[in-house]
Amino acid sequence: MAGWYELKASGDQFMFNLKAGNGETILNSERYTAKAGATNGIASVQKNSPDDSRYERKTSKADEPYFVLKAANHETIGKSEVYSSESAMENGIASVKTNGPTTDIRDKT
């Protein structure tokens, strides 16, 4: 099963999550003040997710790997969860690359 985007309200703001085919969240967006901003964020993930150079691999303060997906202008589009290992993080990136281009957007607002 292919992945999808879940667009939702968060208080008076909007955000989206990219879900893998199994329903697991693989990318969390920033918060946006307008729904149109979140929709534009989804379009940016669709465009940028296949490009490996858009991923910034990082380590948390607790020494756990995670990644950030950035647009061409270097603005953060979304972040991953923290992972137990670098190989698990690379699998997460591979999943975002595979599922990111999907046009399946499920609006929960």
Side-chain angles (χ1 to χ4, degrees):
M1 180 177 177
W4 70 91
Y5 291 93
E6 185 176 87
L7 177 62
K8 57 188 179 179
S10 178
D12 61 349
Q13 296 182 318
F14 298 88
M15 65 171 297
F16 63 86
N17 294 318
L18 174 59
K19 305 272 190 171
N22 64 3
E24 183 177 336
T25 298
I26 53 176
L27 189 73
N28 299 302
S29 77
E30 304 294 307
R31 292 198 170 18
Y32 299 89
T33 55
K35 185 176 179 179
T39 302
N40 288 339
I42 290 171
S44 187
V45 174
Q46 290 167 327
K47 178 181 178 183
N48 290 289
S49 60
D51 185 346
D52 191 68
S53 70
R54 300 285 191 243
Y55 293 88
E56 187 174 325
R57 291 147 171 93
K58 297 185 159 208
T59 304
S60 72
K61 291 179 183 177
D63 204 33
E64 298 167 309
Y66 71 100
F67 64 87
V68 176
L69 177 62
K70 295 194 171 191
N73 65 1
H74 306 290
E75 290 290 320
T76 297
I77 309 167
K79 296 180 181 175
S80 72
E81 64 181 1
V82 294
Y83 291 94
S84 59
S85 68
E86 286 190 21
S87 64
M89 177 190 66
E90 292 297 332
N91 288 340
I93 290 171
S95 185
V96 173
K97 286 178 181 178
T98 299
N99 292 288
T102 185
T103 57
D104 185 352
I105 301 170
R106 301 178 187 181
D107 191 339
K108 304 288 185 179
T109 60

